[in-house]
Amino acid sequence: MELRLHLVHFGVFLVYVCGLCYDVKPPKGSEYESAFWAMGGRFKYLTFIDALLQCGFFGLCVLNDIVGSDTAILSQQSVLQKLRDWLFTSLVFPMGVFVSFIFWVLYAVDRELIFPASLDKWFPSWLNHIMHTLPAVGAFLELYMVCHNYQKGWNLYVPIIVAYFLYLSWICFIAYAANFWVYPVFEVLDFTGRTLFLAALLLPNLIIVFMGQKLHDNVWGIGTEQTQRKGKME
């Protein structure tokens, strides 16, 4: 189990590195060139920001596998393990699942709102799956294979709420300063529609955080002895 877990961590990390290093760029003179390189570059896309987060997290997992710890006993946990657990439970799982869920739901409704068909000419499908499918797959694999320490109460929800409003402020600033919306779906909505849509997106994030904790408890148990939890990890 331990070797398999280490291989999963390293494999997912390596796939993310390959995806992030791939030199994707729209053809010169295309309708996407100016928007792609406009304010913020790739850092204006939640998909890219999430891929950086996921890559950094699985890189941290690899480092923790080598020099850190993997114990349910808080007093014996390394700083790396505590950081791994905090990142996964508060940001990595909810953001990864959210990105995959929202993308593929909008894609199924009308792909032109989120990923126009014309992108297929220069954005390969394998890279699309790294950016939009792997986040959820990797998050669920991690939840199933590793026992994590969850924050208590609202402390668990604060990081994703802060991250949500920071990104919301970022894309609204881009719309104001550069006069374009990062995602085509906002172009077809009026002010009221955008406001309601953006506000409504916070709820799935909170639900995913809650769901992640419940799924984790179902897999690893609630109120079990620390030795039992440690035994399951091994």
Side-chain angles (χ1 to χ4, degrees), residues 183-200:
Y183 299 103
V185 64
F186 297 119
E187 299 288 352
V188 300
L189 297 173
D190 58 15
F191 178 79
T192 302
R194 290 178 193 136
T195 302
L196 293 175
F197 183 75
L198 289 170

Side-chain angles (χ1 to χ4, degrees), residues 3-21 50-63 65 88 92-93 96 100 126-127 129-146:
L3 177 60
R4 186 169 64 216
L5 174 62
H6 294 179
L7 290 176
V8 168
H9 283 159
F10 181 74
V12 175
F13 170 67
L14 188 60
V15 171
Y16 273 120
V17 169
C18 292
L20 289 169
C21 291
D50 177 60
L52 287 174
L53 172 66
Q54 303 293 329
C55 183
F57 169 74
F58 281 100
L60 174 65
C61 289
V62 172
L63 184 61
D65 290 340
F88 178 76
V92 170
F93 181 85
S100 295
W126 62 265
L127 183 58
H129 284 295
I130 289 177
M131 296 296 181
H132 299 118
T133 306
L134 184 57
V137 173
F140 279 109
L141 279 174
E142 178 69 11
L143 182 143
Y144 176 75
M145 299 183 73
V146 180

Side-chain angles (χ1 to χ4, degrees), residues 9-210:
H9 283 159
F10 181 74
V12 175
F13 170 67
L14 188 60
V15 171
Y16 273 120
V17 169
C18 292
L20 289 169
C21 291
Y22 181 76
D23 187 23
V24 58
K25 52 188 176 182
K28 290 185 178 181
S30 69
E31 58 183 310
Y32 301 107
E33 184 181 24
S34 59
F36 186 83
W37 296 115
M39 180 180 292
R42 290 194 292 176
F43 288 93
K44 61 179 170 285
Y45 300 107
L46 182 60
T47 293
F48 183 74
I49 295 173
D50 177 60
L52 287 174
L53 172 66
Q54 303 293 329
C55 183
F57 169 74
F58 281 100
L60 174 65
C61 289
V62 172
L63 184 61
N64 182 69
D65 290 340
I66 298 172
V67 297
S69 63
D70 189 15
T71 175
I73 304 174
L74 291 176
S75 60
Q76 297 180 7
Q77 291 180 355
S78 66
V79 173
L80 288 175
Q81 183 184 347
K82 291 178 180 178
L83 179 59
R84 179 201 70 182
D85 289 356
W86 182 85
L87 271 177
F88 178 76
T89 58
S90 60
L91 289 174
V92 170
F93 181 85
M95 191 175 292
V97 174
F98 175 80
V99 165
S100 295
F101 175 76
I102 292 298
F103 177 85
W104 289 113
V105 166
L106 290 176
Y107 190 97
V109 172
D110 183 357
R111 69 168 296 181
E112 297 300 315
L113 296 176
I114 191 70
F115 196 84
S118 53
L119 291 176
D120 294 340
K121 297 177 181 179
W122 56 275
F123 200 101
S125 60
W126 62 265
L127 183 58
N128 185 20
H129 284 295
I130 289 177
M131 296 296 181
H132 299 118
T133 306
L134 184 57
V137 173
F140 279 109
L141 279 174
E142 178 69 11
L143 182 143
Y144 176 75
M145 299 183 73
V146 180
C147 181
H148 298 89
N149 180 46
Y150 271 76
Q151 299 292 310
K152 304 298 182 182
W154 276 101
N155 288 335
L156 177 62
Y157 297 89
V158 170
I160 196 65
I161 293 174
V162 172
Y164 172 83
F165 281 105
L166 284 175
Y167 185 70
L168 176 59
S169 300
W170 175 225
I171 62 173
C172 287
F173 174 75
I174 292 174
Y176 170 78
N179 197 33
F180 79 96
W181 286 98
V182 174
Y183 299 103
V185 64
F186 297 119
E187 299 288 352
V188 300
L189 297 173
D190 58 15
F191 178 79
T192 302
R194 290 178 193 136
T195 302
L196 293 175
F197 183 75
L198 289 170
L201 289 180
L202 178 59
L203 183 59
N205 281 282
L206 299 179
I207 292 175
I208 292 170
V209 174
F210 177 80

